[in-house]
Amino acid sequence: MNTVSESAVADRAAAGPQPNPQAGAVKLTMILSGAVFALMMAFGLIMRAAQGQWIELDPTLFYQILTAHGAGMVGTAALSGAAIMWYFCGRYVVLTAGIFWAFLGLFLLGVVLILGAIFIGGFGGAWTFLFPLPAMSGGAWEAGAAAAFMLGYVSIGVGFLLYYLELGRQIHSRYGSLARALGWNLILGREDNNPPPPTIVAAAAVTIFNSIGIILGAAVLVASLVHLLVPGFEVNALLAKNLIYFFGHVFINASIYMAVTAVYEILPEYTGRPWKSNRVFAIAWNAVLIFVMAVYWHHLLQDVVMPPWMLVVGQLVSYFSGIPLIAVTAFSTFLYVRGSKMTWDLASSLLVLSVAGWSVGSIPASIDGMISVNKVMHNTMWVPGHFHTYLLLGEVAMAFGFMAWLVRGKAIAEMGGLDRAAFATYLAGAAGFVIVFLFSGAASIPRRWAVHYEEWLTHDRIGTAFSALVVLGTLIFVLRFVARLGRSSN
């Protein structure tokens, strides 16, 4: 049977971190993720420098880079999060290596199609492929470029569905049902001699909600592809927009919820306090399962044709969706770290930063989820400010923390000078970068504009300087990971 016995799991947990038989595939994935993160951040630096008029960039090329940057950062965040969750789920269930390689192959095929569509075909319709824009480019790109872009998304989506089917199959086999894996026995007060660990609870929740999101995203992608080939094929634009934003919102949130398993699994090594599932933890993750799917309506608050009850729900859920995060992961991290006398190396520092950044990012997101604010702020720099906080100080920091841990070695030692400099550079750059975005949004500077007015240049140039620090810190993290990985394999 392709399962892990309860005694084996107990022995493995007692012995601490064990070698992962698929560590090689995960390390390769993290190398690819780190390289693409650096490239996408360089794209962001180029765009900010162009907006600040420090370099000249044709607006057509700007929107192509914007499309690549958006799709690339979202996709790479999901890829790195998937690698992290796969690695740690491998401690509790036996996962089929071939599925991960198929997932990675389909993901890379999608990347090739997307980059070809953008930089060869000229597609510049942004990562949302908002219907019917792909078919109405005004001559900026041909239908074939739009089709290649969407086929790239389909390839990535199929890869993720394979990934989640394998995870769901093995979790179900190991724990008897996804309900038990979600901690329902804990919630209902039933006796459970082997409750699912936090990583499995998180994996079960993400498997459910992101599979739903990907399937609905695939439906609108297929409908849009048919519309490209057969223009007479009708698609309801409002329904398409709902499906696109449901898919996009769920997908980017899933990347963070997958990567947070690194916090659950790695920090206990530093604190000496095991992170265990309990009733509150299980309730929080089951709430996440609902909230992450319902909160997407706050992206549609400006669509006056939406049913009012949906907009009201979107606003209310925006308020409540941060509670499970802050009440469980953030508060628990504080309690685990407080008084633990843990050693602060690069891995632990980045992981604690990631939880703090993720928590702070929920504040401007909740503010934007207010209807009265959203109607004047949603199309300003405020929105990239809040989601860059989630990414740069949240998911990406988790990914870099995991990478640092993978090559840490058995002994835990204080950060060296280069690690301290890299951490400080990245933190200062990312914090300054997102603060400039938020201040720009408060000043009503619009997002997605390739050319900015003179009055906005100060914001742009300060943001460009902070962006350069982010790129520098990222390059050090990635090169450090590759160098230490190379030494460990010799």
Side-chain angles (χ1 to χ4, degrees), residues 111-154:
V111 170
V112 171
L113 287 168
I114 290 169
L115 292 178
I118 295 170
F119 294 112
I120 297 176
F123 183 79
W127 75 268
T128 54
F129 60 95
L130 195 60
F131 181 88
L133 179 59
M136 300 175 65
S137 69
W141 61 80
E142 300 296 330
F149 184 86
M150 289 187 281
L151 284 172
Y153 271 23
V154 170

Side-chain angles (χ1 to χ4, degrees), residues 90-308:
R91 292 182 168 183
Y92 308 102
V93 298
V94 178
L95 298 167
T96 305
I99 296 295
F100 189 85
W101 286 111
F103 155 71
L104 184 59
L106 286 165
F107 187 96
L108 294 176
L109 173 61
V111 170
V112 171
L113 287 168
I114 290 169
L115 292 178
I118 295 170
F119 294 112
I120 297 176
F123 183 79
W127 75 268
T128 54
F129 60 95
L130 195 60
F131 181 88
L133 179 59
M136 300 175 65
S137 69
W141 61 80
E142 300 296 330
F149 184 86
M150 289 187 281
L151 284 172
Y153 271 23
V154 170
S155 180
I156 292 171
V158 171
F160 268 100
L161 284 178
L162 285 175
Y163 171 98
Y164 288 123
L165 283 171
E166 173 65 7
L167 268 180
R169 183 176 74 91
Q170 298 298 354
I171 290 173
H172 183 277
S173 176
R174 170 69 185 84
Y175 292 94
S177 69
L178 287 178
R180 184 186 171 205
L182 284 167
W184 284 18
N185 285 351
L186 294 171
I187 295 172
L188 298 174
R190 296 172 181 167
E191 185 176 352
D192 193 333
N193 294 326
N194 183 37
T199 290
I200 294 299
V201 176
V206 174
T207 294
I208 293 171
F209 69 67
N210 210 22
S211 294
I212 294 171
I214 290 170
I215 289 169
L216 293 179
V220 71
L221 279 165
V222 171
S224 297
L225 281 166
V226 173
H227 177 74
L228 277 172
L229 298 173
V230 185
F233 179 77
E234 295 292 334
V235 177
N236 184 290
L238 183 61
L239 175 60
K241 182 174 181 177
N242 272 268
L243 293 176
I244 290 167
Y245 275 97
F246 179 88
F247 155 72
H249 182 89
V250 168
F251 192 79
I252 190 57
N253 275 271
S255 69
I256 306 174
Y257 288 124
M258 290 188 290
V260 78
T261 55
V263 175
Y264 299 152
E265 296 285 336
I266 295 174
L267 282 188
E269 295 182 21
Y270 292 84
T271 64
R273 301 169 178 173
W275 203 309
K276 297 181 179 180
S277 298
N278 54 37
R279 176 179 287 182
V280 174
F281 184 89
I283 290 173
W285 269 98
N286 279 265
V288 165
L289 175 60
I290 302 301
F291 285 166
V292 78
M293 293 189 288
V295 76
Y296 91 95
W297 281 320
H298 74 205
H299 289 282
L300 305 174
L301 295 178
Q302 297 189 44
D303 288 343
V304 295
V305 294
M306 287 286 290

Side-chain angles (χ1 to χ4, degrees), residues 253 256-257 260 264 275 284-285 287-288 291 320-333 354-363 390 398:
N253 275 271
I256 306 174
Y257 288 124
V260 78
Y264 299 152
W275 203 309
W285 269 98
V288 165
F291 285 166
F320 296 132
S321 61
I323 294 176
L325 159 66
I326 295 172
V328 178
T329 300
F331 185 65
S332 296
T333 300
S354 72
V355 176
W358 186 18
S359 303
V360 170
S362 68
I363 298 172
Y390 278 141
M398 289 177 193

Side-chain angles (χ1 to χ4, degrees), residues 334-474:
F334 171 77
L335 292 180
Y336 274 85
V337 171
R338 181 174 177 269
S340 66
K341 297 181 180 180
M342 64 184 285
T343 300
W344 291 95
D345 65 0
L346 185 59
S348 61
S349 299
L350 283 167
L351 290 173
V352 172
L353 169 65
S354 72
V355 176
W358 186 18
S359 303
V360 170
S362 68
I363 298 172
S366 297
I367 293 173
D368 185 59
M370 300 169 60
I371 293 174
S372 59
V373 174
N374 187 274
K375 66 183 182 181
V376 294
M377 297 283 279
H378 193 76
N379 286 319
T380 71
M381 291 289 200
W382 183 271
V383 171
H386 92 66
F387 65 66
H388 277 86
T389 307
Y390 278 141
L391 279 175
L392 291 178
L393 294 172
E395 198 282 337
V396 177
M398 289 177 193
F400 289 149
F402 174 68
M403 291 165 68
W405 173 82
L406 276 177
V407 294
R408 182 196 69 193
K410 294 182 179 180
I412 303 176
E414 297 282 351
M415 276 194 287
L418 180 60
D419 285 350
R420 284 197 297 271
F423 179 81
T425 299
Y426 184 84
L427 174 58
F433 183 74
V434 299
I435 288 171
V436 170
F437 261 146
L438 293 172
F439 270 91
S440 299
S444 297
I445 299 176
R447 58 175 171 152
R448 301 195 187 102
W449 282 29
V451 179
H452 279 192
Y453 292 126
E454 193 76 25
E455 294 84 352
W456 304 340
L457 297 188
T458 299
H459 295 78
D460 298 332
R461 290 172 179 175
I462 295 174
T464 303
F466 282 120
S467 179
L469 292 179
V470 175
V471 173
L472 177 59
T474 296

